Amino acid sequence: MADILSVTDLRKTYGDVAAVDGVGFSVAEGEIFGLLGPNGAGKTTTISMISCLIAPDAGEISIDGHSTRTDSLGARKILGVVPQEIALYPLLTAAENLAFWGRMYGLKGKRLAEAVEYGLALAGLEDKAKKRVETFSGGMKRRINIAVGVLHRPRVLLMDEPTVGIDPQSRNHILGLVRELNKGGMTILYTSHYMEEVEALCDRIAIMDHGRVIALGTLGELRRVVGGMDIVTAEVAEIPPKALAGIRALEGVDRAEIAEGSLKVFAADGGGVLAPLVQTLEAHGAHVSSVAVAKPDLESVFLHLTGKSLRD
């Protein structure tokens, strides 16, 4: 399938800080493409440049052949944007907010009325149409915020951390909305620091850190970065340096790191190293409160590439 979005060597600097430092990727039409990274990785700055909100210092962005530098109007006509911050007027009702933003998209008359009806149905808030947004829960506001971004039925939708600060039920509803929009043919660029969401939704994923893309591929391809190894996580109050050195020397252990107060051990056979791992820790006076074995996930890929946790 042809690429509908192309980003090449994108750069943005604020003072001495390189917020985006040579980012490049492409998104195929009909794809859900994820930008995953910790807060401050450069995801929002990247989205802001793609949406023409801020100008890049260098690099090129093309949306269905429209350069954001030379034809920003053509590019923006194709885009819908769901910002991280709620972009709603609290004193207006849900329907009034949708109607206002619909007019900003140039919708009028019957088309506007249909768009408002569509937005309310998409958000599952038809019964709240005449309620002021200030009375809504965080999850309801997020759903209307998404509806605003798709009123004009864009071909490409940019979603920046759309589930921040909401309850699990609302999060699941929003993830369902993303899948529904994509099934309808919409290409989606989805940014998040929640690896579970990206794993569940995205066809391909770019992992960002310190303004750079450090890995890109399908979930399966990224997992292979870790070498297909199991991850043994041990909760230990304190790990003496000699204990860590002893664990790294165990047969079958590829490497061991400390992240978020937990010990992460990478091994081809996680179950096989459990007993010697616990024995080594206890021999050095470390108390193990729990231990678990898991297959590689995006957290382990990020740890492997950066030496730190995605949530650090």
Side-chain angles (χ1 to χ4, degrees):
M1 195 169 290
D3 293 335
I4 194 169
L5 170 63
S6 176
V7 176
T8 306
D9 198 24
L10 203 59
R11 299 177 186 273
K12 187 67 180 180
T13 302
Y14 296 100
D16 296 330
V17 178
V20 174
D21 189 11
V23 164
F25 58 85
S26 59
V27 181
E29 188 164 9
E31 184 175 31
I32 303 180
F33 186 93
L35 278 183
L36 175 69
N39 292 327
K43 305 186 302 297
T44 295
T45 304
T46 299
I47 287 283
S48 296
M49 288 188 282
I50 294 172
S51 63
C52 306
L53 184 63
I54 59 176
D57 295 335
E60 294 294 332
I61 303 166
S62 175
I63 304 170
D64 196 33
H66 301 274
S67 168
T68 58
R69 284 186 181 275
T70 61
D71 186 14
S72 63
L73 182 59
R76 282 182 287 176
K77 284 181 177 179
I78 298 167
L79 287 176
V81 181
V82 179
Q84 185 174 153
E85 299 297 326
I86 300 293
L88 301 172
Y89 291 96
L91 296 181
L92 298 183
T93 67
E96 288 169 342
N97 267 281
L98 292 171
F100 172 83
W101 288 110
R103 292 187 187 98
M104 293 300 100
Y105 290 127
L107 302 177
K108 300 176 182 178
K110 183 180 179 182
R111 287 186 64 206
L112 178 61
E114 290 174 346
V116 171
E117 186 178 340
Y118 164 71
L120 289 168
L122 185 74
L125 294 171
E126 299 100 316
D127 60 334
K128 306 290 185 183
K130 297 182 179 180
K131 298 289 185 181
R132 286 184 176 183
V133 165
E134 66 179 354
T135 67
F136 286 4
S137 67
M140 291 161 68
K141 290 176 183 176
R142 286 282 173 192
R143 282 146 56 187
I144 287 290
N145 207 44
I146 292 171
V148 164
V150 298
L151 284 175
H152 58 311
R153 311 292 179 100
R155 292 175 60 196
V156 179
L157 181 64
L158 311 180
M159 305 187 77
D160 189 13
E161 301 275 5
T163 64
V164 169
I166 60 175
D167 61 273
Q169 183 177 0
S170 295
R171 174 172 286 128
N172 289 335
H173 187 103
I174 287 174
L175 297 185
L177 282 182
V178 175
R179 294 188 184 97
E180 182 181 339
L181 291 168
N182 181 246
K183 282 183 180 179
M186 200 172 291
T187 302
I188 298 172
L189 177 58
Y190 189 97
T191 85
S192 181
H193 65 278
Y194 298 125
M195 64 174 182
E196 298 88 354
E197 292 182 4
V198 173
E199 286 181 337
L201 287 174
C202 299
D203 302 301
R204 288 187 304 133
I205 303 153
I207 300 178
M208 290 188 69
D209 189 40
H210 295 300
R212 294 176 176 269
V213 172
I214 59 174
L216 192 157
T218 65
L219 179 58
E221 288 168 345
L222 292 174
R223 281 173 171 165
R224 286 195 286 276
V225 170
V226 189
M229 294 186 181
D230 295 340
I231 302 98
V232 182
T233 302
E235 301 298 333
V236 187
E238 186 176 350
I239 304 172
K242 288 185 178 180
L244 187 58
I247 290 165
R248 287 171 173 162
L250 290 175
E251 184 178 354
V253 170
D254 181 75
R255 67 191 180 284
E257 309 286 349
I258 298 173
E260 293 185 315
S262 300
L263 174 65
K264 302 277 188 180
V265 178
F266 295 80
D269 179 11
V273 303
L274 277 179
L277 168 64
V278 173
Q279 290 169 3
T280 301
L281 287 168
E282 291 181 343
H284 288 86
H287 175 68
V288 181
S289 58
S290 68
V291 64
V293 180
K295 295 298 179 183
D297 58 14
L298 292 175
E299 176 77 19
S300 59
V301 174
F302 190 79
L303 177 63
H304 171 75
L305 294 170
T306 68
K308 63 183 180 183
S309 169
L310 185 60
R311 296 181 176 88
D312 281 353

